[in-house]
Amino acid sequence: MAQISTNEFKAGFKVEIEKEPYTIVGVEFVKPGKGQPFTRTKLKHLMTGRVVERTFKSGDRLELADVSEAKMRLLYKEQDGVVFMDDVSFEQVHIPLTILKETEQWLMEEVSYNVIFYKGNAIEVSPPTFMEMKITETAPGLRGDTSGRVLKPALTESGAKVQVPIFIEEGEKIKIDTRTGEYVSRC
């Protein structure tokens, strides 16, 4: 398996530490006045999402993780999971709900998602950054209040709960930032 040295560390690299997959979130090279230089890193565990800090001596090497990414379309939801299909190979993959975690609220059929596989098993599903969704339930807005500063709770067609401006009505399509769950604009 391929290895990288500390001087090759970059944010976004997927590495394996103690047989666990991590992605490098931050890298800082430190050269103290005395002693050997070292590299301070922030690592995010790919399965749990936990962020840890580790330091490596200059010249240390890490294994690159056996990680692959695929753009997959959601076909349908089942009781215990979701079925995705690769648009290129048409291969279908069943992913259990336990892996989806907070991504479950952004699941909509016929939308493409980034799926990360570690040693052939799906470990993470990422929705598109911006999604267009229809509002299925919200309180009626006040007539004439179009300032956009007052927010109210709303429920989308996928079941996500978001805060929208008071002038948004049921049945309207809105654009949502899935990273923060915030309203962006009308569609």
Side-chain angles (χ1 to χ4, degrees):
M1 189 166 273
Q3 291 188 338
I4 57 170
S5 179
T6 53
N7 62 345
E8 299 171 310
F9 284 4
K10 287 188 175 74
F13 274 30
K14 313 262 190 303
V15 295
E16 201 168 280
I17 301 171
E18 298 166 3
K19 305 253 187 251
E20 296 287 323
Y22 289 87
T23 185
I24 298 175
V25 178
V27 180
E28 180 185 4
F29 179 73
V30 180
K31 188 173 181 184
K34 287 184 176 180
Q36 186 179 14
F38 60 91
T39 303
R40 184 178 297 133
T41 61
K42 276 190 179 180
L43 304 161
K44 180 181 175 188
H45 196 281
L46 285 175
M47 293 184 187
T48 63
R50 192 178 51 138
V51 177
V52 295
E53 287 191 18
R54 296 257 328 239
T55 57
F56 299 95
K57 292 186 286 183
S58 187
D60 280 356
R61 299 182 75 72
L62 286 179
E63 296 271 334
L64 284 173
D66 181 16
V67 173
S68 63
E69 293 185 44
K71 198 129 183 104
M72 302 188 92
R73 183 174 310 279
L74 184 130
L75 291 181
Y76 55 90
K77 297 178 187 177
E78 293 180 330
Q79 198 86 17
D80 59 337
V82 183
V83 177
F84 287 90
M85 179 184 73
D86 189 325
D87 285 338
V88 178
S89 68
F90 301 109
E91 176 185 345
Q92 292 185 11
V93 178
H94 179 273
I95 299 177
L97 291 175
T98 54
I99 290 172
L100 298 171
K101 300 175 191 138
E102 69 274 350
T103 306
E104 189 176 355
Q105 67 180 338
W106 306 118
L107 295 180
M108 289 178 52
E109 292 180 2
E110 296 302 316
V111 175
S112 291
Y113 296 84
N114 285 327
V115 181
I116 298 176
F117 294 92
Y118 174 64
K119 294 188 177 177
N121 297 320
I123 58 169
E124 185 179 330
V125 176
S126 307
T129 305
F130 297 102
M131 290 185 73
E132 294 180 3
M133 295 185 166
K134 188 176 180 181
I135 299 295
T136 57
E137 187 180 312
T138 187
L142 299 174
R143 187 170 183 88
D145 190 351
T146 58
S147 67
R149 296 173 196 213
V150 181
L151 299 175
K152 63 181 179 178
L155 192 66
T156 66
E157 59 188 313
S158 69
K161 293 178 180 151
V162 295
Q163 294 289 321
V164 297
I166 203 143
F167 57 84
I168 299 292
E169 300 288 329
E170 280 184 26
E172 285 191 63
K173 277 195 117 170
I174 62 168
K175 184 186 261 188
I176 301 170
D177 185 340
T178 59
R179 297 170 296 187
T180 60
E182 294 177 356
Y183 164 86
V184 177
S185 67
R186 279 180 169 161
C187 295

